[in-house]
Amino acid sequence: MLQLAHDFAPPELLLTGFELCGSYRFSVGGVPTAYGRPACMTPESLRRAMDGREGMHGIKRVRVALRYLLPGSGSPMETVLVLVLILPPRLGGYGFPAPELNLRCYIDTCGMTYYIPDLWWRDRNVVLEYFGGRDHTELHDMVSDNLRRNDLLDNGRRVMVAVYEHLAKGASMDHLASQLSHQLGLGEIDMSREARERRRQLRTRLLRWEGGLSKQG
């Protein structure tokens, strides 16, 4: 991460960090993105690895990225969605509190039946599922996601859905963020021209990423 900090700003460092702490791997050498892989590290283990490295080149960028690094992302698009939501407005995000990613959400009193929401604000009882687009294109995945959404709704969770088009279109993403902010009990979204331009720049940077230097510059 320190070596990458020579070339990458915090958003790109976070894409790498989420991959290393998640269950997917970006495509390498033409091999498709792999899913269901074990995590290489945790945010805490990476923080420990940075101990005692004050003064090293890149350490400040890594420490900024570590403020927003979360474990458990299941796909590149989940990561992009999370970063767009949680990064502070000065970096082009909406500044939402961090959700839990892909953790078991039990829906019965005996703790036997559970689902694994994509993004879960447990204390607010709000779930956001990433549905459709680049990572969930198979019919089986689409049916499974919808059935999971129904069960979560039936269990009292407030469930919202995000699709690739939200991330690709600024107005759609702003609308989703406003709805999510309302569900989470937060304030109004900044809709000034400057804020919308920062968000557009962040989404562009995140969506063009393919896990390597070739997409930078």
Side-chain angles (χ1 to χ4, degrees), residues 91-104:
L91 294 179
Y94 291 97
F96 287 174
E100 296 174 283
L101 308 180
N102 296 295
L103 291 183
R104 291 183 180 184

Side-chain angles (χ1 to χ4, degrees), residues 19-212:
E19 177 189 8
L20 294 173
C21 296
S23 61
Y24 64 92
R25 300 293 176 268
F26 281 110
S27 60
V28 177
V31 178
T33 300
Y35 300 94
R37 304 295 297 275
C40 296
M41 61 177 63
T42 67
E44 183 55 36
S45 68
L46 184 54
R47 291 186 184 98
R48 289 197 302 268
M50 295 298 109
D51 289 344
R53 298 178 184 270
E54 282 72 14
M56 294 186 67
H57 183 70
I59 188 66
K60 290 184 178 180
R61 282 188 176 185
V62 174
R63 291 204 183 282
V64 170
L66 283 172
R67 298 174 191 170
Y68 309 102
L69 183 59
L70 302 174
S73 179
S75 74
M77 294 310 300
E78 279 185 22
T79 293
V80 172
L81 178 62
V82 172
L83 290 177
V84 167
L85 292 173
I86 72 171
L87 284 178
R90 63 182 175 82
L91 294 179
Y94 291 97
F96 287 174
E100 296 174 283
L101 308 180
N102 296 295
L103 291 183
R104 291 183 180 184
C105 175
Y106 289 93
I107 61 172
D108 62 359
T109 56
C110 58
M112 296 292 291
T113 305
Y114 64 87
Y115 285 88
I116 303 179
D118 294 334
L119 286 69
W120 182 20
W121 287 267
R122 189 196 302 254
D123 60 332
R124 311 295 175 92
N125 211 28
V126 174
V127 165
L128 179 61
E129 295 280 18
Y130 181 75
F131 176 68
R134 294 183 174 184
D135 294 330
H136 294 249
T137 55
E138 296 294 333
L139 178 60
H140 177 271
D141 291 335
M142 295 170 66
V143 172
S144 176
D145 284 348
N146 273 310
L147 292 176
R148 176 172 61 180
R149 180 173 180 266
N150 289 344
D151 284 338
L152 289 169
L153 280 169
D154 191 50
N155 195 244
R157 271 75 179 183
R158 287 173 287 173
V159 182
M160 298 186 63
V161 173
V163 296
Y164 178 75
E165 285 71 18
H166 284 120
L167 294 168
K169 300 176 182 178
S172 296
M173 190 66 223
D174 285 342
H175 183 58
L176 174 66
S178 295
Q179 293 175 319
L180 182 59
S181 183
H182 175 72
Q183 293 297 323
L184 294 173
L186 304 176
E188 297 294 324
I189 301 297
D190 184 356
M191 293 297 182
S192 67
R193 178 180 299 179
E194 294 79 7
R196 287 186 283 114
E197 176 59 19
R198 286 195 297 268
R199 294 195 289 262
R200 185 196 66 79
Q201 291 178 7
L202 176 65
R203 290 196 313 275
T204 299
R205 293 173 68 178
L206 296 177
L207 289 172
R208 74 180 182 180
W209 175 262
E210 290 185 357

Side-chain angles (χ1 to χ4, degrees), residues 8 208-217:
F8 298 160
R208 74 180 182 180
W209 175 262
E210 290 185 357
L213 289 166
S214 63
K215 303 298 284 188
Q216 301 306 298

